[in-house]
Amino acid sequence: MMSVFQDSVFFGVLLSLASYSIGLALKIKTGWSLMNPLLISIVLVIVVLLITGVSYSSYNASANSISFLLTPATICLAVPLYQQRQKIIQLWLPITVSQILGSIVGLVSGVWLARLFGAADIVAVSLAAKSVTNPIALEITHSLNGIPAITAVGVIFAGLTGQILGFKLLEVLGIRSMSAQGLALGSASHALGINAAWQRGPEYAAYATLGLILNGILSAIIAPYLIPWLFM
């Protein structure tokens, strides 16, 4: 029976969609921020894989068609960005300054938090790029001789934290500007931050997308020089 799941080309797709749908239904039903659809779907997928004995590699291969859709979905983010181009050009100086500082803070905070909890240096290095979108974060970690698996976990954690608490924290701090909120979420929580911003509107999503792009580029440039200096 288990071999049916192991060999099925549809198992990964159906499990992913069903898990996310359950998470989304719970979020709508309860209205709780902690009922995050992605977080719930991750837990459900892990539980089902453990029960059925299906390996992660088999699940990943059968769910690959969903990953394929990530490329056109990412390209679509260019639409709100283009629509807000005039406002973005007008704000080029504060955007540039905030993104440079944000990239530095994002890298340093990952190392600092790891050290605060007594983690080994290699773990601290691996968590430096936690706020960078995953493909770039993994390359940064490779260049620093860190552990990519730890980076991937850090990226997910940073994304979920921003998606669940981002807007609430910004409002508590008195940051209510649409551009500032969008940039902050995109810079700190990458794609999941964009997801949270999109729920407020395409204008928020435009700035979040810009934050993700600039933070990825700047972090890739800054990290190879800044992170080794932190361990001198």
Side-chain angles (χ1 to χ4, degrees), residues 85-134:
R85 66 192 185 283
Q86 294 299 333
K87 293 180 180 179
I88 290 171
I89 292 171
Q90 292 172 3
L91 295 172
W92 73 270
L93 182 57
I95 287 175
T96 301
V97 173
S98 66
Q99 288 303 289
I100 292 173
L101 294 176
S103 297
I104 294 172
V105 170
L107 293 167
V108 172
S109 63
V111 174
W112 180 77
L113 284 171
R115 283 181 156 182
L116 181 65
F117 289 98
D121 286 353
I122 192 169
V123 175
V125 167
S126 302
L127 290 174
K130 61 174 176 39
S131 294
V132 183
T133 186
N134 199 53

Side-chain angles (χ1 to χ4, degrees), residues 27-112:
K27 173 67 183 297
I28 294 172
K29 181 71 174 178
T30 63
W32 297 348
S33 297
L34 290 177
M35 286 294 181
N36 183 275
L38 181 60
L39 179 59
I40 291 172
S41 63
I42 290 173
V43 173
L44 289 177
V45 167
I46 291 173
V47 170
V48 172
L49 292 184
L50 289 174
I51 292 174
T52 60
V54 175
S55 65
Y56 172 76
S57 58
S58 297
Y59 160 75
N60 188 47
S62 61
N64 196 46
S65 57
I66 295 179
S67 301
F68 173 78
L69 297 175
L70 184 62
T71 300
T74 302
I75 293 172
C76 288
L77 292 174
V79 175
L81 193 61
Y82 177 79
Q83 292 172 337
Q84 297 295 316
R85 66 192 185 283
Q86 294 299 333
K87 293 180 180 179
I88 290 171
I89 292 171
Q90 292 172 3
L91 295 172
W92 73 270
L93 182 57
I95 287 175
T96 301
V97 173
S98 66
Q99 288 303 289
I100 292 173
L101 294 176
S103 297
I104 294 172
V105 170
L107 293 167
V108 172
S109 63
V111 174
W112 180 77

Side-chain angles (χ1 to χ4, degrees), residues 128-210:
K130 61 174 176 39
S131 294
V132 183
T133 186
N134 199 53
I136 300 177
L138 295 179
E139 290 302 318
I140 291 174
T141 299
H142 276 300
S143 71
L144 297 171
N145 297 316
I147 304 173
I150 294 177
T151 304
V153 173
V155 168
I156 293 173
F157 183 79
L160 287 171
T161 301
Q163 188 181 35
I164 296 170
L165 301 174
F167 275 114
K168 291 182 175 62
L169 180 60
L170 290 169
E171 288 166 2
V172 167
L173 295 174
I175 301 171
R176 294 182 172 84
S177 164
M178 177 182 65
S179 58
Q181 289 185 339
L183 285 167
L185 281 172
S187 299
S189 301
H190 32 82
L192 294 182
I194 295 175
N195 178 271
W198 191 272
Q199 294 174 28
R200 294 284 182 104
E203 297 86 0
Y204 285 89
Y207 287 103
T209 301
L210 183 63

